[in-house]
Amino acid sequence: MRIAFVKQKYVPFGGGEGVLQRLMAECTARGFEVHLITGSWLLEAAPVTVHRVRYPRLSREARMRGFSRAAAREARRGRYDTVVSFDRTEFQDIWRAGEGVHLVWLQRRRLFEPWWKGVLTAASHAHRCILRLERTAVEVSRLIVTNSKMVAADIARVYGRKAEAKVRIVYNGVDRCLFRPDDKKDQRRAFRCEMGLTEGDLLLAFVGSGFRRKGLRELITVLRSLRRVFLVVAGRDPPGPWIRRARACGVAGRVRFVGPRQNPAGFYHGADLLVLPTWFDAFPNSTLEALACGTPVVTTRFSGSAEIIQPGRNGFVVDRPDDSSALADAVHAGLELGRSGVSRQIAETVADMTVEKCAERFLAAIGEMAGTRSEVGSSCLR
């Protein structure tokens, strides 16, 4: 089978990129002829055939629309059996909705942003473009793969029953060779030494880019009520505004910013608890990675990863990021769980969520498309 994957660009430390890399490797191992249509991909992709397309890059809207059209032309030339897109595009057989439903995100932002930002967002050509591309992606795709029940429900609510019937849920997977509880003792000691902390210090971890969306503001606010608790933040966002926020809350001395991490396993081992009080997250890989390392997690119901949290066993879920009292209580309980010596039991709660299982389930969805092209998707390529 000749299969083409579509991804506009490679973003270091991106969760979608990791899923795509593993999926391409599994496809080549099964003898498929694999192609990648992209605008920018920095990693070695052999034996995948990479097709780099050119498109306007003057604005965000121009980049999104331009890539979708350029990728469609490339797919038309290739005449692939199946086209799988990891972006909001307008020609695929299968769309992986890994970023969630954009309209839901825009609605969620109103809960914490000032009113004037909502006005600017509503007038944004880029956001309108995303909404148009997403609606088209839903309409033309034969199947839609989501990474959580939350996103599946959002698609059904926003786009109706016809879209709901196309959805297949494939949870993300974790590499159990990289993320496992066996290495906790040594990596924990090394990471805490790097951070200038002792074994007796209570340590929270926050991992991911898009700090505002993922609830860092709310976590720093809650840190004021958590005595002798430290916070380490990993992600590619500029730390300046958040350092100022920590100073304003009087906790700057207990917050460390370490930037993005190529291999975050030591980060999870070093922490007592991962806290992601997110406002919107389809399914952050950091949650799964932390649990696989035996580190409990506190998150919110606005994250798809809340579906794998078993309260009291591997973490806790709060309703809203801005409920400071509930978040503080969950963090206290999570710290107790993280210090109770049950890392192996925590890791067991996600034992079947491996990268191999994720690829296998995604390939089952691709199998539904084997040897065929979506009538609607194919018409977009003519």
Side-chain angles (χ1 to χ4, degrees), residues 60 102 106 109 121 124-132:
R60 186 182 179 191
H102 194 64
L106 296 182
R109 288 174 60 164
T121 298
S124 166
H125 290 290
H127 285 296
R128 291 179 183 179
C129 180
I130 294 172
L131 291 172
R132 286 194 299 269

Side-chain angles (χ1 to χ4, degrees), residues 200-204 222-230 249-251 254 328 331-332 335:
D201 293 319
L202 298 174
L203 180 60
L204 308 179
V222 164
L223 197 63
R224 290 184 298 188
S225 64
L226 303 172
R227 303 299 179 187
R228 296 185 296 278
V229 176
F230 292 83
C249 291
V251 297
R254 293 189 281 134
V331 169
H332 278 299
L335 285 170

Side-chain angles (χ1 to χ4, degrees), residues 59 149 153:
S59 67
K149 295 176 183 176

Side-chain angles (χ1 to χ4, degrees), residues 87-284:
D87 283 312
R88 296 176 178 92
T89 46
E90 53 197 45
F91 58 89
Q92 63 281 336
D93 298 301
I94 301 175
W95 172 45
R96 182 182 185 267
E99 296 179 352
V101 176
H102 194 64
L103 180 62
V104 175
W105 164 229
L106 296 182
Q107 293 170 342
R108 191 72 45 75
R109 288 174 60 164
R110 298 173 189 168
L111 298 178
F112 64 88
E113 286 187 340
W115 66 268
W116 56 268
K117 281 195 174 183
V119 173
L120 293 177
T121 298
S124 166
H125 290 290
H127 285 296
R128 291 179 183 179
C129 180
I130 294 172
L131 291 172
R132 286 194 299 269
L133 285 173
E134 182 172 280
R135 179 168 291 279
T136 301
V138 169
E139 291 174 352
V140 306
S141 298
R142 185 81 171 272
L143 289 182
I144 301 170
V145 174
T146 72
N147 49 12
S148 67
K149 295 176 183 176
M150 181 190 77
V151 175
D154 288 342
I155 289 174
R157 179 167 57 84
V158 173
Y159 295 110
R161 291 183 178 179
K162 187 175 180 180
E164 182 181 16
K166 300 178 182 181
V167 172
R168 306 291 184 272
I169 300 171
V170 178
Y171 283 112
N172 294 351
V174 64
D175 189 336
R176 298 306 294 268
C177 293
L178 296 177
F179 302 97
R180 56 185 184 177
D182 303 355
D183 304 326
K184 182 171 283 291
K185 185 176 180 180
D186 291 340
Q187 292 201 38
R188 180 181 179 87
R189 184 186 301 113
F191 181 79
R192 285 176 173 254
C193 181
E194 178 187 348
M195 294 294 105
L197 301 174
T198 68
E199 176 57 33
D201 293 319
L202 298 174
L203 180 60
L204 308 179
F206 178 100
V207 182
S209 299
F211 290 169
R212 186 65 188 96
R213 173 173 60 85
K214 290 181 181 285
L216 182 57
R217 178 184 177 89
E218 288 73 22
L219 180 54
I220 289 176
T221 300
V222 164
L223 197 63
R224 290 184 298 188
S225 64
L226 303 172
R227 303 299 179 187
R228 296 185 296 278
V229 176
F230 292 83
L231 170 64
V232 180
V233 179
R236 64 177 182 269
D237 292 36
W242 304 101
I243 292 173
R244 291 191 290 273
R245 175 66 182 171
R247 286 173 181 162
C249 291
V251 297
R254 293 189 281 134
V255 182
R256 313 275 197 275
F257 291 87
V258 298
R261 292 248 160 171
Q262 187 69 43
N263 181 8
F267 191 90
Y268 300 125
H269 287 305
D272 297 302
L273 178 69
L274 175 72
V275 187
L276 281 180
T278 184
W279 285 98
F280 183 83
D281 236 325
F283 194 107

Side-chain angles (χ1 to χ4, degrees), residues 26-96:
E26 288 292 325
C27 286
T28 55
R30 297 188 181 207
F32 296 168
E33 181 183 323
V34 181
H35 297 253
L36 174 65
I37 301 173
T38 184
S40 172
W41 191 265
L42 304 180
L43 292 184
E44 178 62 41
V48 175
T49 302
V50 178
H51 306 272
R52 290 182 174 84
V53 297
R54 301 178 67 179
Y55 52 93
R57 300 173 186 252
L58 295 177
S59 67
R60 186 182 179 191
E61 180 184 7
R63 290 192 295 272
M64 289 185 292
R65 291 176 60 86
F67 174 74
S68 182
R69 291 169 178 171
R73 289 193 295 269
E74 182 61 42
R76 181 174 60 242
R77 284 193 291 267
R79 297 186 177 276
Y80 304 103
D81 296 314
T82 303
V83 177
V84 182
S85 181
F86 275 59
D87 283 312
R88 296 176 178 92
T89 46
E90 53 197 45
F91 58 89
Q92 63 281 336
D93 298 301
I94 301 175
W95 172 45
R96 182 182 185 267

